[in-house]
C-alpha cells in the first residue's frame, strides 16, 4: 500500500493508522519532504520514500514494490508559502494526473482512494438542503480548491473506466476541524465581533479530524469503489457556531462581508479562500446515506461535538458566556408567554 502526502497531517496520520492494521502487509509513505520526527515515530513500521508524484520516476516506486493500493491524500487547500496559484495547481492537478497515469499502467494496482472535498458542490442560493453524490454544483465553483478537485475527480473516473478492475473511491469531506487544525480555521472566531452575512444563516456540517483520517484508512481496506460524502451527524448554523464561542455576531451585506469585512478582520479574512467565503455565505448540506450503507463507515463525532472540541483546542475565551445567552433567551421567552397569556 502507498500513501501520498506522508509528511503532512492527513497523509502521515493515515499511514500511522494503517501501520496498526495487521491485515496491511506493507506500507510506503511517500512525499517530497521528510516527515517530522514525531510523525515518523507514529508511522511505526511504514517505510518512508522521498519521491515526487509529478516525476515519472514514481512509476519505479509503484512497479518496483508491486503496490496494490494507492491512497492519494496529498491535496493543497491553498497556495503554499512562497508559491502562487500556479504552484498549487501544479502540485494538485498535475501531480494527480501523473500519479493516476502510473496507476493505470501498473498491473499490480487494484485500489485507489482519493481525498476530495465538499467544495466541489460550490455555493449558491439554489443549493438543495442536502447534496447527494450524484448532484453537481448549481453554479460553477470559483474557488481554486474546488476547481482542482473537480479536475482530479475527473481523472479518477477516467481511471475507473479504463481499468474497471481497479476499485476507485472518492471521499468528499465536509470541512475538517479539530484541535490539531485549530490554527487553520479558528482565526475567524478570534475577533470579539464576528461578521456574518446579513439575511443568511449558513448551515454547516463538519467532520472531526480523527474521523477524516479513519475514513481514508477504512476506504483503503474496503472492497469496491464509489463516491462518498463524509460528514458527522447533525448540522450547525453559523449563528449557532458564533454563539457557542461566545462571540458577538455582526450581520453585514455579503458585499461588505467580502470587502469591508476583510478589512475589519485584518489578515484573517484577507486570507480566506473562495471556498471559505462561499461556505460562510451559503453553507453546504451533505447526504451521508451512501457513506453508511455502502462504504460502511460511521463517524464517531457529530458535527456539534467536532466543533466544540475544535473550539476547545483553539483556546478561545468567550466574550459573552454562551450559558448567559441561553439563560437570557429562556427568560425572554418566558416573559413573552406570560405577556401573551400563553399557558406553560
Amino acid at each position: 500500500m502507498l500513501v501520498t502526502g506522508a509528511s503532512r497531517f492527513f497523509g502521515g496520520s493515515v499511514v500511522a493508522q494503517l501501520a496498526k492494521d495487521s491485515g496491511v502487509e506493507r506500507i510506503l509513505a511517500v512525499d517530497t519532504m521528510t516527515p517530522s520526527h514525531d510523525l515518523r515515530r507514529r508511522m511505526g513500521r511504514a517505510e518512508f520514500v522521498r519521491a515526487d508524484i509529478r516525476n515519472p520516476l514514481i512509476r519505479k516506486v509503484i512497479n518496483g514494490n508491486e503496490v496494490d493500493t494507492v491512497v492519494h491524500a496529498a491535496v493543497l487547500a491553498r497556495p503554499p508559502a512562497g508559491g502562487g496559484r500556479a504552484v498549487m495547481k501544479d502540485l494538485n492537478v498535475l501531480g494527480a494526473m501523473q500519479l493516476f497515469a502510473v496507476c493505470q499502467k501498473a498491473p499490480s494496482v487494484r485500489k485507489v482512494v482519493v481525498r476530495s472535498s465538499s467544495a466541489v458542490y460550490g455555493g449558491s442560493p439554489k443549493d438543495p438542503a442536502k447534496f447527494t453524490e450524484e448532484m453537481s454544483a448549481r453554479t460553477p465553483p470559483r474557488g481554486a480548491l474546488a476547481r482542482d478537485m473537480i479536475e482530479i475527480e475527473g481523472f479518477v473516473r477516467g481511471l475507473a473506466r479504463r481499468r474497471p478492475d481497479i476499485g476507485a473511491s472518492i471521499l468528499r469531506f465536509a470541512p475538517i476541524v479539530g484541535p490539531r487544525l485549530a490554527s487553520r480555521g479558528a482565526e475567524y472566531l478570534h475577533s470579539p465581533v464576528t461578521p456574518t452575512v446579513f439575511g443568511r444563516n449558513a448551515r454547516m456540517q463538519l467532520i472531526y479530524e480523527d474521523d477524516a483520517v479513519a475514513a481514508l484508512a477504512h476506504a483503503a481496506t474496503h472492497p469496491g469503489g464509489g463516491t462518498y460524502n463524509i460528514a458527522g451527524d447533525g448540522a450547525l448554523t453559523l449563528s449557532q457556531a458564533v454563539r457557542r464561542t461566545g462571540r458577538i455576531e455582526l450581520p453585514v451585506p455579503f458585499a461588505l462581508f467580502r470587502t469591508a469585512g476583510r478589512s475589519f478582520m485584518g489578515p484573517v479574512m484577507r486570507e480566506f479562500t473562495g471556498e471559505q467565503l462561499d461556505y460562510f455565505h451559503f453553507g453546504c448540506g451533505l447526504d451521508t446515506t451512501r457513506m453508511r450503507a455502502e462504504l460502511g463507515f460511521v463517524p464517531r463525532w457529530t458535527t456539534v461535538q467536532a466543533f466544540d472540541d475544535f473550539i476547545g483546542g483553539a483556546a478561545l475565551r468567550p466574550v459573552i458566556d454562551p450559558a448567559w445567552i441561553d439563560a437570557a433567551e429562556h427568560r425572554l421567552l418566558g416573559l413573552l408567554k406570560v405577556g401573551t397569556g400563553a399557558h406553560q
Side-chain angles (χ1 to χ4, degrees):
M1 187 174 296
L2 182 148
V3 181
T4 67
S7 69
R8 302 170 204 162
F9 172 78
F10 288 106
S13 297
V14 171
V15 171
Q17 184 147 330
L18 289 170
K20 300 175 184 177
D21 188 344
S22 59
V24 179
E25 181 180 348
R26 189 182 176 202
I27 307 170
L28 299 179
V30 174
D31 209 327
T32 56
M33 299 174 59
T34 303
S36 66
H37 177 73
D38 177 66
L39 186 55
R40 186 68 188 88
R41 179 184 56 79
R42 291 199 296 117
M43 288 181 184
R45 62 187 176 92
E47 305 166 46
F48 176 71
V49 179
R50 189 164 186 168
D52 190 337
I53 61 173
R54 295 170 296 173
N55 192 310
L57 291 177
I58 192 67
R59 184 187 307 273
K60 292 185 177 180
V61 177
I62 292 177
N63 289 335
N65 294 282
E66 296 185 341
V67 172
D68 61 354
T69 302
V70 173
V71 180
H72 183 44
V75 176
L76 294 180
R78 60 178 69 246
R85 167 61 182 148
V87 175
M88 176 182 174
K89 187 176 180 67
D90 182 60
L91 291 169
N92 281 348
V93 178
L94 298 183
M97 182 172 62
Q98 176 64 37
L99 178 65
F100 299 147
V102 171
C103 291
Q104 179 184 326
K105 297 179 180 179
S108 62
V109 175
R110 289 291 183 270
K111 179 78 177 179
V112 172
V113 179
V114 179
R115 173 193 167 194
S116 186
S117 168
S118 61
V120 300
Y121 296 121
S124 163
K126 300 179 181 179
D127 288 351
K130 289 188 176 182
F131 279 98
T132 64
E133 290 83 352
E134 293 81 8
M135 296 178 178
S136 58
R138 299 302 172 89
T139 59
R142 59 194 180 91
L145 173 63
R147 298 198 304 270
D148 286 355
M149 295 315 308
I150 289 172
E151 285 195 63
I152 292 171
E153 287 193 9
F155 298 153
V156 179
R157 286 188 285 271
L159 170 65
R161 286 193 300 270
R162 299 182 186 94
R163 285 282 306 276
D165 59 314
I166 291 180
S169 296
I170 298 171
L171 274 57
R172 292 174 177 165
F173 288 102
I176 304 169
V177 297
R180 285 167 291 186
L181 296 178
S183 61
R184 301 185 185 182
E187 296 93 341
Y188 173 62
L189 297 168
H190 267 299
S191 174
V193 179
T194 301
T196 57
V197 180
F198 180 78
R200 291 280 177 182
N201 197 9
R203 183 172 178 270
M204 306 182 295
Q205 281 178 272
L206 307 172
I207 184 75
Y208 191 61
E209 57 187 29
D210 288 348
D211 282 331
V213 170
L216 283 169
H218 175 84
T221 58
H222 182 76
T227 301
Y228 308 99
N229 291 331
I230 309 294
D233 285 346
L236 189 69
T237 64
L238 183 55
S239 64
Q240 289 173 330
V242 172
R243 190 175 73 174
R244 292 181 82 86
T245 60
R247 266 48 198 166
I248 300 172
E249 182 181 2
L250 177 64
V252 297
F254 182 66
L256 291 178
F257 179 81
R258 186 176 53 190
T259 56
R262 291 191 176 191
S263 300
F264 178 74
M265 295 288 284
V268 176
M269 286 184 64
R270 282 199 293 271
E271 295 179 1
F272 273 8
T273 63
E275 287 84 12
Q276 287 174 307
L277 286 172
D278 283 342
Y279 197 74
F280 288 128
H281 191 182
F282 302 107
C284 182
L286 301 177
D287 186 313
T288 57
T289 302
R290 184 179 291 180
M291 173 190 74
R292 295 171 177 274
E294 298 181 19
L295 183 61
F297 179 75
V298 180
R300 294 177 59 189
W301 298 66
T302 66
T303 287
V304 172
Q305 289 171 338
F307 180 79
D308 286 347
D309 197 72
F310 163 67
I311 293 303
L316 294 178
R317 293 184 177 180
V319 177
I320 300 176
D321 187 348
W324 182 87
I325 298 177
D326 290 337
E329 282 187 348
H330 285 124
R331 285 196 295 269
L332 178 59
L333 289 173
L335 290 173
L336 289 174
K337 288 179 180 179
V338 171
T340 57
H343 295 288
Q344 299 295 325

